[in-house]
Amino acid sequence: MIETIPIPGIEDFDKVYWENCSKNKLTIQHCGDCNEARFPPRHMCPICQSISHDWKEVSGDAVLWSFVIPRPPLLPVFDKQSPYVVGLVELVEYENIRIIGQIQTNSNIDSIKIGDTLTIDFKKINNEISLPYWVKK
Ligand SMILES: [Zn+2]
């Protein structure tokens, strides 16, 4: 039985990403040679196969590209949080990067729609992991 939310495993190639999230900063990996942005982080550039890379901080502002409101039956840990929205967001700085995260709103959950503009925030899970989530503007 899963009693707590699954926590991402930290690998060497995405360690910087998680370290920055724990500082409430969203950073995107870029190729050190061709500057292609890529997400999720990985060892090698899919365009030029370079293993050189750097990290650039982004605003986290995004547009809701798609979403789902999970319905029962859910695992107990998620059932306690229901109803909630899981979104696929497109960062405003990069049309080719989409990230999955929870979407929060101060209004009715059923008012969320594709195309909503969002800002980022972070939820601390433990000393190593803070998960990005997005809030409807
Ligand atoms: Zn490259």
Side-chain angles (χ1 to χ4, degrees), residues 5-61:
I5 66 168
I7 297 174
I10 299 176
E11 305 291 338
D12 61 334
F13 58 91
D14 63 4
K15 186 175 182 187
V16 172
Y17 174 80
W18 291 114
E19 286 174 350
N20 287 330
C21 282
S22 70
K23 298 171 189 169
N24 294 346
K25 296 179 183 177
L26 184 68
T27 50
I28 298 297
Q29 188 184 41
H30 286 73
C31 176
D33 288 316
C34 76
N35 201 37
E36 177 76 9
R38 60 185 191 250
F39 187 88
R42 56 195 101 150
H43 288 288
M44 183 179 289
C45 175
I47 304 300
C48 74
Q49 289 75 50
S50 171
I51 59 170
S52 172
H53 68 271
D54 58 16
W55 297 87
K56 294 181 182 172
E57 185 175 354
V58 297
S59 69
D61 289 344

Short mmCIF file of all heavy atoms in Angstrom, two decimals, residues 5-61:
data_model
loop_
_atom_site.label_atom_id
_atom_site.label_comp_id
_atom_site.label_asym_id
_atom_site.label_seq_id
_atom_site.Cartn_x
_atom_site.Cartn_y
_atom_site.Cartn_z
N ILE A 5 3.07 10.17 -0.98
CA ILE A 5 3.18 10.40 -2.41
C ILE A 5 4.53 9.90 -2.90
O ILE A 5 5.52 9.96 -2.16
CB ILE A 5 2.98 11.88 -2.79
CG1 ILE A 5 4.10 12.75 -2.24
CG2 ILE A 5 1.63 12.39 -2.33
CD1 ILE A 5 4.11 14.13 -2.84
N PRO A 6 4.58 9.37 -4.11
CA PRO A 6 5.87 8.94 -4.65
C PRO A 6 6.80 10.14 -4.81
O PRO A 6 6.39 11.20 -5.27
CB PRO A 6 5.49 8.36 -6.02
CG PRO A 6 4.03 8.12 -5.95
CD PRO A 6 3.47 9.11 -4.99
N ILE A 7 8.05 9.97 -4.39
CA ILE A 7 9.04 11.04 -4.46
C ILE A 7 10.04 10.70 -5.56
O ILE A 7 10.50 9.57 -5.65
CB ILE A 7 9.75 11.20 -3.11
CG1 ILE A 7 8.74 11.62 -2.05
CG2 ILE A 7 10.88 12.21 -3.20
CD1 ILE A 7 9.30 11.68 -0.65
N PRO A 8 10.37 11.70 -6.39
CA PRO A 8 11.32 11.43 -7.47
C PRO A 8 12.67 10.99 -6.92
O PRO A 8 13.12 11.49 -5.90
CB PRO A 8 11.45 12.78 -8.19
CG PRO A 8 10.34 13.62 -7.70
CD PRO A 8 9.92 13.08 -6.37
N GLY A 9 13.30 10.05 -7.61
CA GLY A 9 14.67 9.68 -7.28
C GLY A 9 15.61 10.71 -7.90
O GLY A 9 15.37 11.18 -9.01
N ILE A 10 16.64 11.07 -7.19
CA ILE A 10 17.59 12.06 -7.70
C ILE A 10 18.78 11.34 -8.31
O ILE A 10 19.42 10.54 -7.65
CB ILE A 10 18.04 13.02 -6.59
CG1 ILE A 10 16.83 13.77 -6.03
CG2 ILE A 10 19.09 13.99 -7.11
CD1 ILE A 10 17.15 14.67 -4.85
N GLU A 11 19.03 11.63 -9.59
CA GLU A 11 20.17 11.05 -10.30
C GLU A 11 21.21 12.14 -10.49
O GLU A 11 20.93 13.33 -10.34
CB GLU A 11 19.71 10.50 -11.65
CG GLU A 11 18.58 9.51 -11.58
CD GLU A 11 18.97 8.18 -10.96
OE1 GLU A 11 20.18 7.86 -10.95
OE2 GLU A 11 18.08 7.47 -10.48
N ASP A 12 22.41 11.78 -10.91
CA ASP A 12 23.46 12.77 -11.07
C ASP A 12 23.10 13.82 -12.13
O ASP A 12 23.41 14.99 -11.97
CB ASP A 12 24.80 12.11 -11.40
CG ASP A 12 24.77 11.34 -12.70
OD1 ASP A 12 23.68 10.89 -13.11
OD2 ASP A 12 25.85 11.20 -13.31
N PHE A 13 22.40 13.41 -13.20
CA PHE A 13 22.13 14.36 -14.27
C PHE A 13 20.97 15.30 -13.97
O PHE A 13 20.80 16.30 -14.65
CB PHE A 13 21.86 13.62 -15.60
CG PHE A 13 20.71 12.65 -15.53
CD1 PHE A 13 19.43 13.06 -15.86
CD2 PHE A 13 20.91 11.34 -15.15
CE1 PHE A 13 18.36 12.18 -15.80
CE2 PHE A 13 19.86 10.45 -15.07
CZ PHE A 13 18.59 10.87 -15.39
N ASP A 14 20.15 15.02 -12.95
CA ASP A 14 19.07 15.95 -12.61
C ASP A 14 19.21 16.52 -11.19
O ASP A 14 18.32 17.20 -10.69
CB ASP A 14 17.69 15.33 -12.82
CG ASP A 14 17.41 14.14 -11.94
OD1 ASP A 14 18.26 13.80 -11.07
OD2 ASP A 14 16.35 13.53 -12.11
N LYS A 15 20.35 16.28 -10.57
CA LYS A 15 20.58 16.76 -9.20
C LYS A 15 20.46 18.29 -9.12
O LYS A 15 19.85 18.81 -8.19
CB LYS A 15 21.96 16.30 -8.71
CG LYS A 15 22.21 16.62 -7.27
CD LYS A 15 23.53 16.04 -6.79
CE LYS A 15 23.70 16.37 -5.32
NZ LYS A 15 24.97 16.00 -4.80
N VAL A 16 21.02 19.00 -10.09
CA VAL A 16 20.97 20.47 -10.08
C VAL A 16 19.52 20.94 -10.18
O VAL A 16 19.11 21.90 -9.52
CB VAL A 16 21.83 21.06 -11.21
CG1 VAL A 16 21.63 22.56 -11.34
CG2 VAL A 16 23.29 20.73 -10.98
N TYR A 17 18.73 20.27 -11.03
CA TYR A 17 17.32 20.63 -11.17
C TYR A 17 16.62 20.58 -9.80
O TYR A 17 15.95 21.54 -9.40
CB TYR A 17 16.63 19.68 -12.15
CG TYR A 17 15.13 19.88 -12.24
CD1 TYR A 17 14.61 20.92 -13.00
CD2 TYR A 17 14.26 19.05 -11.54
CE1 TYR A 17 13.24 21.12 -13.07
CE2 TYR A 17 12.89 19.25 -11.61
CZ TYR A 17 12.38 20.28 -12.37
OH TYR A 17 11.03 20.48 -12.43
N TRP A 18 16.80 19.48 -9.06
CA TRP A 18 16.13 19.32 -7.77
C TRP A 18 16.71 20.26 -6.72
O TRP A 18 15.97 20.77 -5.86
CB TRP A 18 16.17 17.86 -7.31
CG TRP A 18 15.31 17.01 -8.19
CD1 TRP A 18 15.71 16.02 -9.04
CD2 TRP A 18 13.89 17.10 -8.34
NE1 TRP A 18 14.63 15.49 -9.69
CE2 TRP A 18 13.50 16.13 -9.28
CE3 TRP A 18 12.90 17.90 -7.76
CZ2 TRP A 18 12.17 15.95 -9.67
CZ3 TRP A 18 11.56 17.73 -8.15
CH2 TRP A 18 11.22 16.76 -9.08
N GLU A 19 18.02 20.50 -6.76
CA GLU A 19 18.62 21.46 -5.82
C GLU A 19 18.01 22.84 -6.03
O GLU A 19 17.70 23.54 -5.07
CB GLU A 19 20.14 21.52 -6.03
CG GLU A 19 20.88 20.32 -5.49
CD GLU A 19 22.37 20.34 -5.82
OE1 GLU A 19 22.81 21.18 -6.63
OE2 GLU A 19 23.08 19.48 -5.27
N ASN A 20 17.83 23.25 -7.27
CA ASN A 20 17.24 24.56 -7.55
C ASN A 20 15.77 24.60 -7.18
O ASN A 20 15.30 25.62 -6.66
CB ASN A 20 17.46 24.94 -9.02
CG ASN A 20 18.91 25.31 -9.28
OD1 ASN A 20 19.59 25.81 -8.40
ND2 ASN A 20 19.38 25.05 -10.49
N CYS A 21 15.04 23.53 -7.43
CA CYS A 21 13.63 23.49 -6.99
C CYS A 21 13.54 23.65 -5.47
O CYS A 21 12.64 24.33 -4.98
CB CYS A 21 12.97 22.18 -7.41
SG CYS A 21 12.48 22.10 -9.15
N SER A 22 14.48 23.06 -4.74
CA SER A 22 14.44 23.19 -3.27
C SER A 22 14.75 24.62 -2.84
O SER A 22 14.49 24.99 -1.69
CB SER A 22 15.38 22.21 -2.60
OG SER A 22 16.72 22.56 -2.82
N LYS A 23 15.30 25.44 -3.77
CA LYS A 23 15.51 26.88 -3.50
C LYS A 23 14.42 27.73 -4.16
O LYS A 23 14.58 28.93 -4.35
CB LYS A 23 16.88 27.30 -4.06
CG LYS A 23 18.05 26.58 -3.41
CD LYS A 23 19.34 26.91 -4.16
CE LYS A 23 20.49 26.05 -3.68
NZ LYS A 23 21.67 26.16 -4.58
N ASN A 24 13.33 27.07 -4.55
CA ASN A 24 12.19 27.74 -5.21
C ASN A 24 12.59 28.41 -6.54
O ASN A 24 12.09 29.48 -6.88
CB ASN A 24 11.51 28.75 -4.30
CG ASN A 24 10.85 28.08 -3.12
OD1 ASN A 24 10.66 26.86 -3.10
ND2 ASN A 24 10.48 28.86 -2.13
N LYS A 25 13.48 27.74 -7.27
CA LYS A 25 13.89 28.22 -8.59
C LYS A 25 13.66 27.11 -9.60
O LYS A 25 14.09 25.97 -9.39
CB LYS A 25 15.38 28.57 -8.60
CG LYS A 25 15.77 29.71 -7.71
CD LYS A 25 17.27 29.93 -7.81
CE LYS A 25 17.73 31.04 -6.87
NZ LYS A 25 19.21 31.19 -6.92
N LEU A 26 13.00 27.46 -10.71
CA LEU A 26 12.84 26.49 -11.79
C LEU A 26 13.96 26.75 -12.80
O LEU A 26 14.10 27.87 -13.30
CB LEU A 26 11.48 26.64 -12.48
CG LEU A 26 11.21 25.59 -13.57
CD1 LEU A 26 11.05 24.20 -12.95
CD2 LEU A 26 9.96 25.95 -14.37
N THR A 27 14.75 25.73 -13.06
CA THR A 27 15.84 25.86 -14.03
C THR A 27 15.67 24.81 -15.11
O THR A 27 15.20 23.70 -14.86
CB THR A 27 17.21 25.71 -13.35
OG1 THR A 27 17.22 24.52 -12.56
CG2 THR A 27 17.52 26.91 -12.47
N ILE A 28 16.06 25.20 -16.30
CA ILE A 28 15.95 24.32 -17.46
C ILE A 28 17.36 24.04 -17.98
O ILE A 28 18.18 24.95 -18.12
CB ILE A 28 15.08 24.97 -18.56
CG1 ILE A 28 13.66 25.20 -18.03
CG2 ILE A 28 15.08 24.12 -19.83
CD1 ILE A 28 12.88 23.94 -17.66
N GLN A 29 17.61 22.78 -18.29
CA GLN A 29 18.90 22.37 -18.81
C GLN A 29 19.02 22.78 -20.28
O GLN A 29 18.06 22.64 -21.05
CB GLN A 29 19.00 20.84 -18.67
CG GLN A 29 20.34 20.25 -18.98
CD GLN A 29 20.30 18.74 -18.89
OE1 GLN A 29 19.35 18.11 -19.33
NE2 GLN A 29 21.34 18.16 -18.31
N HIS A 30 20.19 23.31 -20.64
CA HIS A 30 20.48 23.70 -22.03
C HIS A 30 21.75 23.01 -22.48
O HIS A 30 22.69 22.83 -21.70
CB HIS A 30 20.69 25.21 -22.15
CG HIS A 30 19.45 26.00 -22.05
ND1 HIS A 30 18.78 26.19 -20.88
CD2 HIS A 30 18.74 26.65 -23.00
CE1 HIS A 30 17.70 26.92 -21.10
NE2 HIS A 30 17.66 27.22 -22.38
N CYS A 31 21.80 22.68 -23.75
CA CYS A 31 23.01 22.11 -24.32
C CYS A 31 24.13 23.16 -24.27
O CYS A 31 23.92 24.31 -24.63
CB CYS A 31 22.75 21.67 -25.75
SG CYS A 31 24.23 21.04 -26.58
N GLY A 32 25.31 22.72 -23.86
CA GLY A 32 26.46 23.62 -23.81
C GLY A 32 27.04 23.93 -25.17
O GLY A 32 27.84 24.85 -25.31
N ASP A 33 26.64 23.17 -26.19
CA ASP A 33 27.17 23.41 -27.53
C ASP A 33 26.14 24.08 -28.45
O ASP A 33 26.42 25.11 -29.03
CB ASP A 33 27.65 22.09 -28.15
CG ASP A 33 28.94 21.62 -27.50
OD1 ASP A 33 29.83 22.47 -27.29
OD2 ASP A 33 29.04 20.43 -27.17
N CYS A 34 24.93 23.52 -28.58
CA CYS A 34 23.95 24.10 -29.51
C CYS A 34 22.88 24.93 -28.80
O CYS A 34 22.03 25.52 -29.45
CB CYS A 34 23.31 23.01 -30.36
SG CYS A 34 22.07 22.02 -29.50
N ASN A 35 22.90 24.96 -27.45
CA ASN A 35 21.98 25.75 -26.64
C ASN A 35 20.54 25.27 -26.67
O ASN A 35 19.64 25.97 -26.23
CB ASN A 35 22.06 27.24 -27.01
CG ASN A 35 21.54 28.12 -25.88
OD1 ASN A 35 21.76 27.82 -24.70
ND2 ASN A 35 20.85 29.19 -26.23
N GLU A 36 20.28 24.07 -27.18
CA GLU A 36 18.92 23.53 -27.18
C GLU A 36 18.46 23.30 -25.73
O GLU A 36 19.18 22.70 -24.93
CB GLU A 36 18.88 22.20 -27.95
CG GLU A 36 17.54 21.52 -27.97
CD GLU A 36 16.54 22.16 -28.92
OE1 GLU A 36 16.93 23.05 -29.70
OE2 GLU A 36 15.37 21.77 -28.87
N ALA A 37 17.26 23.80 -25.41
CA ALA A 37 16.68 23.56 -24.08
C ALA A 37 16.06 22.17 -24.07
O ALA A 37 15.46 21.74 -25.07
CB ALA A 37 15.63 24.61 -23.78
N ARG A 38 16.19 21.47 -22.95
CA ARG A 38 15.60 20.13 -22.86
C ARG A 38 15.04 19.86 -21.48
O ARG A 38 15.56 20.29 -20.47
CB ARG A 38 16.62 19.08 -23.28
CG ARG A 38 17.88 19.02 -22.45
CD ARG A 38 18.83 18.00 -23.07
NE ARG A 38 19.96 17.68 -22.25
CZ ARG A 38 21.22 18.05 -22.51
NH1 ARG A 38 21.49 18.76 -23.59
NH2 ARG A 38 22.20 17.70 -21.72
N PHE A 39 13.92 19.14 -21.49
CA PHE A 39 13.27 18.72 -20.26
C PHE A 39 12.53 17.42 -20.55
O PHE A 39 11.86 17.33 -21.57
CB PHE A 39 12.28 19.78 -19.75
CG PHE A 39 11.72 19.43 -18.40
CD1 PHE A 39 12.39 19.82 -17.25
CD2 PHE A 39 10.58 18.66 -18.28
CE1 PHE A 39 11.90 19.46 -16.00
CE2 PHE A 39 10.09 18.30 -17.04
CZ PHE A 39 10.75 18.71 -15.90
N PRO A 40 12.61 16.44 -19.67
CA PRO A 40 13.34 16.43 -18.41
C PRO A 40 14.85 16.40 -18.63
O PRO A 40 15.30 16.09 -19.74
CB PRO A 40 12.85 15.13 -17.75
CG PRO A 40 12.43 14.25 -18.86
CD PRO A 40 11.90 15.17 -19.93
N PRO A 41 15.62 16.71 -17.58
CA PRO A 41 17.07 16.70 -17.73
C PRO A 41 17.56 15.31 -18.16
O PRO A 41 16.99 14.30 -17.79
CB PRO A 41 17.57 17.01 -16.31
CG PRO A 41 16.43 17.67 -15.63
CD PRO A 41 15.19 17.08 -16.23
N ARG A 42 18.62 15.33 -18.95
CA ARG A 42 19.21 14.06 -19.38
C ARG A 42 20.69 14.26 -19.71
O ARG A 42 21.17 15.38 -19.80
CB ARG A 42 18.45 13.46 -20.56
CG ARG A 42 18.32 14.38 -21.75
CD ARG A 42 17.27 13.88 -22.72
NE ARG A 42 16.06 14.67 -22.49
CZ ARG A 42 15.17 14.95 -23.43
NH1 ARG A 42 15.29 14.47 -24.63
NH2 ARG A 42 14.13 15.69 -23.17
N HIS A 43 21.37 13.15 -19.89
CA HIS A 43 22.82 13.19 -20.07
C HIS A 43 23.24 13.86 -21.37
O HIS A 43 24.22 14.58 -21.42
CB HIS A 43 23.41 11.77 -20.05
CG HIS A 43 23.40 11.14 -18.71
ND1 HIS A 43 24.26 11.54 -17.71
CD2 HIS A 43 22.64 10.15 -18.18
CE1 HIS A 43 24.03 10.82 -16.63
NE2 HIS A 43 23.06 9.98 -16.89
N MET A 44 22.50 13.60 -22.45
CA MET A 44 22.99 13.97 -23.78
C MET A 44 21.96 14.79 -24.54
O MET A 44 20.76 14.56 -24.44
CB MET A 44 23.31 12.69 -24.57
CG MET A 44 23.88 12.92 -25.95
SD MET A 44 24.25 11.36 -26.80
CE MET A 44 25.66 10.80 -25.85
N CYS A 45 22.45 15.75 -25.33
CA CYS A 45 21.58 16.57 -26.15
C CYS A 45 20.97 15.71 -27.27
O CYS A 45 21.70 15.02 -27.99
CB CYS A 45 22.39 17.71 -26.76
SG CYS A 45 21.45 18.71 -27.93
N PRO A 46 19.64 15.75 -27.42
CA PRO A 46 19.01 14.96 -28.49
C PRO A 46 19.26 15.54 -29.88
O PRO A 46 19.01 14.87 -30.88
CB PRO A 46 17.53 15.00 -28.13
CG PRO A 46 17.36 16.26 -27.36
CD PRO A 46 18.65 16.48 -26.62
N ILE A 47 19.76 16.77 -29.96
CA ILE A 47 20.00 17.41 -31.26
C ILE A 47 21.43 17.15 -31.75
O ILE A 47 21.63 16.70 -32.87
CB ILE A 47 19.74 18.93 -31.17
CG1 ILE A 47 18.32 19.22 -30.67
CG2 ILE A 47 20.02 19.61 -32.52
CD1 ILE A 47 17.21 18.65 -31.53
N CYS A 48 22.43 17.44 -30.89
CA CYS A 48 23.83 17.35 -31.34
C CYS A 48 24.64 16.29 -30.60
O CYS A 48 25.83 16.14 -30.85
CB CYS A 48 24.51 18.71 -31.26
SG CYS A 48 24.91 19.23 -29.57
N GLN A 49 24.02 15.57 -29.66
CA GLN A 49 24.63 14.50 -28.89
C GLN A 49 25.76 14.98 -27.97
O GLN A 49 26.56 14.18 -27.48
CB GLN A 49 25.14 13.35 -29.79
CG GLN A 49 24.03 12.52 -30.40
CD GLN A 49 23.33 13.23 -31.55
OE1 GLN A 49 23.98 13.72 -32.45
NE2 GLN A 49 22.01 13.29 -31.50
N SER A 50 25.86 16.26 -27.73
CA SER A 50 26.85 16.77 -26.79
C SER A 50 26.46 16.40 -25.37
O SER A 50 25.26 16.34 -25.04
CB SER A 50 26.94 18.30 -26.92
OG SER A 50 27.75 18.83 -25.88
N ILE A 51 27.44 16.16 -24.51
CA ILE A 51 27.14 15.93 -23.09
C ILE A 51 27.41 17.19 -22.26
O ILE A 51 27.21 17.19 -21.06
CB ILE A 51 27.92 14.73 -22.52
CG1 ILE A 51 29.43 14.93 -22.67
CG2 ILE A 51 27.47 13.43 -23.17
CD1 ILE A 51 30.24 13.90 -21.92
N SER A 52 27.84 18.27 -22.92
CA SER A 52 28.04 19.55 -22.23
C SER A 52 26.68 20.20 -21.99
O SER A 52 25.80 20.16 -22.86
CB SER A 52 28.91 20.45 -23.11
OG SER A 52 28.97 21.75 -22.57
N HIS A 53 26.49 20.77 -20.82
CA HIS A 53 25.21 21.43 -20.55
C HIS A 53 25.37 22.50 -19.48
O HIS A 53 26.37 22.53 -18.76
CB HIS A 53 24.13 20.42 -20.14
CG HIS A 53 24.40 19.80 -18.80
ND1 HIS A 53 25.14 18.67 -18.65
CD2 HIS A 53 24.02 20.19 -17.57
CE1 HIS A 53 25.21 18.36 -17.37
NE2 HIS A 53 24.54 19.26 -16.69
N ASP A 54 24.38 23.39 -19.41
CA ASP A 54 24.29 24.35 -18.32
C ASP A 54 22.82 24.52 -17.95
O ASP A 54 21.95 23.91 -18.57
CB ASP A 54 24.95 25.69 -18.67
CG ASP A 54 24.37 26.34 -19.91
OD1 ASP A 54 23.27 25.94 -20.34
OD2 ASP A 54 24.99 27.26 -20.44
N TRP A 55 22.57 25.34 -16.93
CA TRP A 55 21.22 25.51 -16.40
C TRP A 55 20.85 26.98 -16.46
O TRP A 55 21.65 27.83 -16.11
CB TRP A 55 21.16 25.00 -14.96
CG TRP A 55 21.45 23.54 -14.85
CD1 TRP A 55 22.68 22.95 -14.73
CD2 TRP A 55 20.50 22.49 -14.91
NE1 TRP A 55 22.54 21.60 -14.69
CE2 TRP A 55 21.21 21.28 -14.80
CE3 TRP A 55 19.11 22.45 -15.04
CZ2 TRP A 55 20.58 20.04 -14.82
CZ3 TRP A 55 18.49 21.22 -15.04
CH2 TRP A 55 19.22 20.03 -14.94
N LYS A 56 19.62 27.26 -16.88
CA LYS A 56 19.14 28.64 -16.92
C LYS A 56 17.85 28.73 -16.10
O LYS A 56 16.94 27.92 -16.27
CB LYS A 56 18.87 29.07 -18.36
CG LYS A 56 20.15 29.14 -19.19
CD LYS A 56 19.89 29.61 -20.60
CE LYS A 56 21.21 29.61 -21.39
NZ LYS A 56 21.03 29.87 -22.81
N GLU A 57 17.79 29.74 -15.25
CA GLU A 57 16.59 29.96 -14.45
C GLU A 57 15.51 30.56 -15.34
O GLU A 57 15.79 31.44 -16.16
CB GLU A 57 16.88 30.87 -13.27
CG GLU A 57 15.68 31.04 -12.35
CD GLU A 57 16.01 31.85 -11.11
OE1 GLU A 57 17.18 32.20 -10.89
OE2 GLU A 57 15.05 32.13 -10.35
N VAL A 58 14.29 30.09 -15.19
CA VAL A 58 13.15 30.62 -15.95
C VAL A 58 12.10 31.11 -14.96
O VAL A 58 12.15 30.80 -13.77
CB VAL A 58 12.56 29.55 -16.90
CG1 VAL A 58 13.58 29.14 -17.94
CG2 VAL A 58 12.07 28.34 -16.13
N SER A 59 11.15 31.89 -15.49
CA SER A 59 10.14 32.50 -14.62
C SER A 59 9.20 31.46 -14.01
O SER A 59 8.68 31.65 -12.91
CB SER A 59 9.32 33.52 -15.41
OG SER A 59 8.50 32.85 -16.36
N GLY A 60 8.94 30.38 -14.75
CA GLY A 60 7.95 29.41 -14.31
C GLY A 60 6.55 29.76 -14.78
O GLY A 60 5.63 28.97 -14.64
N ASP A 61 6.38 30.98 -15.34
CA ASP A 61 5.07 31.33 -15.90
C ASP A 61 4.74 30.35 -17.01
O ASP A 61 5.61 29.96 -17.81
CB ASP A 61 5.09 32.76 -16.45
CG ASP A 61 5.15 33.80 -15.33
OD1 ASP A 61 4.89 33.43 -14.17
OD2 ASP A 61 5.47 34.95 -15.64
#
